Amino acid sequence: MHVSAQDESVLLNELDKELKISPTYIQEKERRIENIKLRFSEKNLSTLQVYTINKAIFEEFRTLQIDSAINYVEENAKLAKLLGLDYVNECRLLLSNLYTISGRYIESNELLDLMYHSNLAEWLKSGYYEAKKKLYSAYTAQHPSNPVYQKWSEEYRDSLLGTLDTSSNQYKTVLAEKLRLQGKTSIAKHILLSVIKNVKVNTHEYAIITSAIGNLYKDEANLDKQKHYFCLSAIADIKNAIRENTSLQSLAIALFETKDIDRSYRYSKQSMEDAIYCNAPLRTLEISRLYPIIDSAYQEKSEIQWRQLFTYLILISMLSVGLFFAVFYIIRQMNRIAKSKMELHHANSLLKELNETLQIANSEVQTVNEKLAESNRIKEEYIGNFLDLCSSYIIKLEDYRKNLHKKATNGKTDELLKLLKSSSIAEQELKQLYKNFDKVFVHLYPDFVDEFNKLLLKEEQFVLKPGEVLNTELRIFALIRLGIQDSSRIANFLRYSASTVYNYRTKVRNKAGVPRETFESMVMTIGNIV
């Protein structure tokens, strides 16, 4: 099985999470103990019932707190004298295991010797051999240079295997332990990996077997897999509130070897606290040998980190000072920019006002230019028409003179006098003058009649006769539009009296649909270019 870095990280994160909530598992176990103790309040309990209750409490304390577990077994040892030899030997066996864990090896061995010399029941023999094996294994850990204890431990392991069911997980686990010590790691690993498949996850048995698998990978120096299995074992121990454990300590060592100093320190510290709480001297001794090394590495790393932090702090302080001056400079620049923006805004406002004034002036100049252009156009039109009329009248006068001269030379005095007395020629010429005036004016101001009518009330508007270009009233205001404001001048042109012209003007103003006082000024605007 390959263990990826991601799987390892997930598993270690889960372990960290379980360590944080480990007090809740211990509290749950303590509540179970208190619930068991409540059974003492039942009436008329027999000696066997009290023994059974004490044993149930012992089972809870066995991996939690050794001293408390010993107290309840010692209480049962007193009761066992009343129940029989098998119960006495059971208490000796339980106390022996507890004494071995707490480092009381001599007392443990004495109790086991008492069991050996008594009539030992079959169901206690496997426990006896296992207790002896654990005792001499503990001796071996304390005295690694003495091969005798290791030899005795192996002999009792063989005796234990002879009493166990070969199909049981316990037999396979003990056999794997034997094979491991014989250097047959691959076979031992194969056995335990097949066993673990049928063991419920996160049970005490699961924690024991995964720890054993981790030790096999430790022999192979496979750090990734030993971390994996020690981590699984540690999680199971935490969930079962087991503080007498080895997996967390073994995991701390593996992590230390892979330079994960922070976790190694935390796990070894927790393992030390568990061993002290549980009062397991052997576990305390084992971790105390390693803890100073891990602690030293952790302190060294912490010191390096602190120096780095101090260096970073100095750098940050320097950067902060630089940032302060930079911010100060930026603020000054921003204030200058803001001031410049205000001045620019003010200048833009003035420029805008000047542009508006210039636009107005340009508009006025354009209007004047347009008026001048219109005036020039009118002048040009009138000059042209005036020259045509003058030329026409010169020709007519010359023809009229020739006609008079002809009649005078031919002696037609009567016809000559008749012509001189007649005014028909003047009247005809006057009509032709008005006709030419109307034609030229309407050519210059083609919308004059329509625009003029718009200034009048609807019912007072002028309707021209067929063939009529302008009537008398319109002709008067046509002259006004051309700038001839004086009624006497208008009268001379139209051969009317000044009073008649004035009356016409007043009459038309009274028909106006606009204010009378502004009527003629509005007439002056007809035909202007907008």
Side-chain angles (χ1 to χ4, degrees):
M1 180 186 70
H2 174 70
V3 180
S4 68
Q6 185 178 7
D7 292 337
E8 179 186 321
S9 177
V10 171
L11 205 56
L12 288 170
N13 288 336
E14 183 182 352
L15 175 57
D16 290 337
K17 177 183 173 184
E18 293 298 332
L19 279 171
K20 287 181 181 178
I21 62 173
S22 60
T24 60
Y25 295 120
I26 295 172
Q27 290 168 7
E28 185 179 342
K29 175 167 278 195
E30 289 172 345
R31 281 195 296 271
R32 288 200 301 272
I33 292 171
E34 292 303 316
N35 288 332
I36 296 171
K37 287 181 179 180
L38 292 175
R39 292 165 56 186
F40 285 127
S41 62
E42 296 176 9
K43 295 181 179 180
N44 302 318
L45 289 173
S46 66
T47 302
L48 181 58
Q49 287 175 320
V50 174
Y51 182 93
T52 304
I53 295 170
N54 283 335
K55 186 177 178 181
I57 297 173
F58 150 76
E59 290 292 344
E60 296 292 341
F61 274 124
R62 183 166 58 90
T63 54
L64 179 66
Q65 220 288 325
I66 300 298
D67 289 344
S68 296
I70 289 173
N71 289 336
Y72 281 95
V73 177
E74 287 177 344
E75 286 296 321
N76 268 358
K78 297 174 185 177
L79 299 174
K81 294 176 182 179
L82 303 174
L83 296 173
L85 182 60
D86 287 347
Y87 289 98
V88 171
N89 281 332
E90 182 183 42
C91 290
R92 288 169 177 168
L93 179 61
L94 296 177
L95 276 175
S96 172
N97 284 322
L98 294 173
Y99 287 163
T100 297
I101 294 171
S102 60
R104 296 160 66 176
Y105 302 134
I106 295 175
E107 294 172 75
S108 173
N109 194 43
E110 288 175 351
L111 288 172
L112 292 173
D113 286 345
L114 289 173
M115 287 180 67
Y116 178 76
H117 294 293
S118 65
N119 188 14
L120 190 62
E122 287 296 323
W123 62 276
L124 289 172
K125 286 183 179 180
S126 60
Y128 169 79
Y129 293 135
E130 183 177 17
K132 275 287 190 178
K133 176 185 75 69
K134 287 182 179 179
L135 174 63
Y136 287 118
S137 292
Y139 270 129
T140 301
Q142 294 286 348
H143 307 88
S145 61
N146 191 339
V148 176
Y149 298 126
Q150 179 64 37
K151 179 175 178 294
W152 288 347
S153 175
E154 291 174 1
E155 289 175 355
Y156 280 110
R157 182 183 295 108
D158 291 338
S159 299
L160 174 60
L161 288 171
T163 62
L164 294 174
D165 180 0
T166 57
S167 63
S168 67
N169 287 343
Q170 185 182 6
Y171 175 86
K172 294 175 182 178
T173 303
V174 175
L175 177 60
E177 181 184 348
K178 178 180 178 180
L179 292 169
R180 178 198 171 201
L181 293 173
Q182 291 175 351
K184 300 176 181 179
T185 306
S186 297
I187 301 173
K189 185 170 60 177
H190 176 75
I191 292 170
L192 291 181
L193 288 174
S194 62
V195 170
I196 198 65
K197 293 177 182 178
N198 302 316
V199 177
K200 187 177 180 181
V201 176
N202 292 328
T203 59
H204 185 32
E205 183 183 12
Y206 182 83
I208 292 171
I209 296 174
T210 48
S211 179
I213 295 172
N215 283 321
L216 289 171
Y217 281 116
K218 185 177 182 180
D219 293 342
E220 293 181 348
N222 189 329
L223 285 168
D224 289 337
K225 290 188 177 180
Q226 66 176 286
K227 285 191 291 183
H228 178 78
Y229 283 100
F230 285 142
C231 193
L232 290 174
S233 178
I235 291 171
D237 282 337
I238 292 168
K239 289 187 174 182
N240 288 281
I242 295 171
R243 305 196 75 169
E244 196 284 304
N245 61 71
T246 60
S247 53
L248 194 61
Q249 173 187 334
S250 299
L251 178 60
I253 296 170
L255 289 169
F256 180 75
E257 292 180 12
T258 55
K259 307 302 180 183
D260 191 347
I261 304 299
D262 290 340
R263 274 199 170 100
S264 177
Y265 174 76
R266 284 192 285 111
Y267 295 166
S268 60
K269 184 179 179 182
Q270 182 63 48
S271 182
M272 175 73 78
E273 291 174 359
D274 287 345
I276 293 171
Y277 180 89
C278 188
N279 192 21
L282 180 60
R283 302 283 179 255
T284 306
L285 180 63
E286 289 173 351
I287 192 63
S288 64
R289 291 171 180 168
L290 179 68
Y291 183 74
I293 300 172
I294 297 175
D295 180 67
S296 176
Y298 178 78
Q299 296 302 330
E300 183 180 353
K301 181 182 178 182
S302 297
E303 187 176 350
I304 292 171
Q305 289 177 338
W306 185 88
R307 285 199 297 268
Q308 289 176 341
L309 182 63
F310 183 74
T311 303
Y312 293 150
L313 184 62
I314 292 173
L315 288 173
I316 290 170
S317 299
M318 292 173 66
L319 288 172
S320 298
V321 172
L323 181 62
F324 172 78
F325 284 109
V327 170
F328 178 74
Y329 176 75
I330 290 170
I331 290 172
R332 285 189 62 189
Q333 291 299 107
M334 287 178 68
N335 289 335
R336 289 178 180 176
I337 292 170
K339 185 178 179 181
S340 298
K341 282 183 177 180
M342 290 180 65
E343 292 174 353
L344 183 61
H345 177 72
H346 180 66
N348 285 336
S349 298
L350 292 175
L351 184 60
K352 185 178 178 182
E353 290 177 4
L354 289 173
N355 284 335
E356 290 174 354
T357 304
L358 183 60
Q359 287 177 358
I360 293 170
N362 287 336
S363 177
E364 291 175 353
V365 169
Q366 184 178 359
T367 303
V368 171
N369 287 336
E370 289 172 352
K371 288 181 178 180
L372 287 173
E374 180 186 10
S375 177
N376 288 333
R377 182 176 61 83
I378 293 170
K379 287 178 181 178
E380 289 172 0
E381 291 277 351
Y382 267 101
I383 288 170
N385 281 285
F386 174 75
L387 291 174
D388 289 341
L389 285 173
C390 287
S391 176
S392 175
Y393 281 124
I394 289 169
I395 293 169
K396 286 180 179 181
L397 285 172
E398 182 62 23
D399 290 341
Y400 186 65
R401 183 192 64 76
K402 286 179 179 181
N403 187 29
L404 291 175
H405 180 267
K406 183 179 179 181
K407 289 186 182 298
T409 55
N410 290 332
K412 296 179 181 180
T413 308
D414 293 335
E415 292 181 14
L416 180 62
L417 291 172
K418 186 178 178 180
L419 286 171
L420 292 171
K421 290 179 180 179
S422 175
S423 61
S424 59
I425 294 175
E427 290 175 357
Q428 289 176 1
E429 292 301 324
L430 193 59
K431 286 180 181 179
Q432 186 63 39
L433 174 63
Y434 293 154
K435 185 177 180 181
N436 289 335
F437 171 80
D438 293 348
K439 181 180 177 182
V440 172
F441 182 81
V442 172
H443 176 68
L444 293 173
Y445 300 98
D447 298 326
F448 180 79
V449 176
D450 292 335
E451 295 297 322
F452 188 83
N453 276 333
K454 289 178 182 179
L455 299 176
L456 302 177
L457 295 172
K458 190 172 182 180
E459 62 274 11
E460 299 294 343
Q461 291 179 356
F462 294 105
V463 179
L464 296 172
K465 297 175 183 178
E468 191 176 32
V469 179
L470 295 176
N471 58 21
T472 302
E473 291 90 342
L474 290 172
R475 195 172 291 118
I476 290 170
F477 282 94
L479 290 168
I480 292 172
R481 174 64 186 88
L482 291 174
I484 303 172
Q485 302 284 338
D486 188 29
S487 295
S488 60
R489 289 184 63 193
I490 296 171
N492 289 334
F493 180 76
L494 297 178
R495 299 295 191 271
Y496 294 138
S497 66
S499 59
T500 302
V501 172
Y502 178 79
N503 289 334
Y504 273 122
R505 291 173 72 170
T506 303
K507 183 179 178 181
V508 173
R509 280 200 300 268
N510 291 334
K511 295 179 180 181
V514 296
R516 294 175 69 253
E517 55 274 12
T518 61
F519 177 75
E520 290 189 2
S521 62
M522 294 180 71
V523 171
M524 292 294 292
T525 64
I526 293 175
N528 281 349
I529 299 173
V530 179

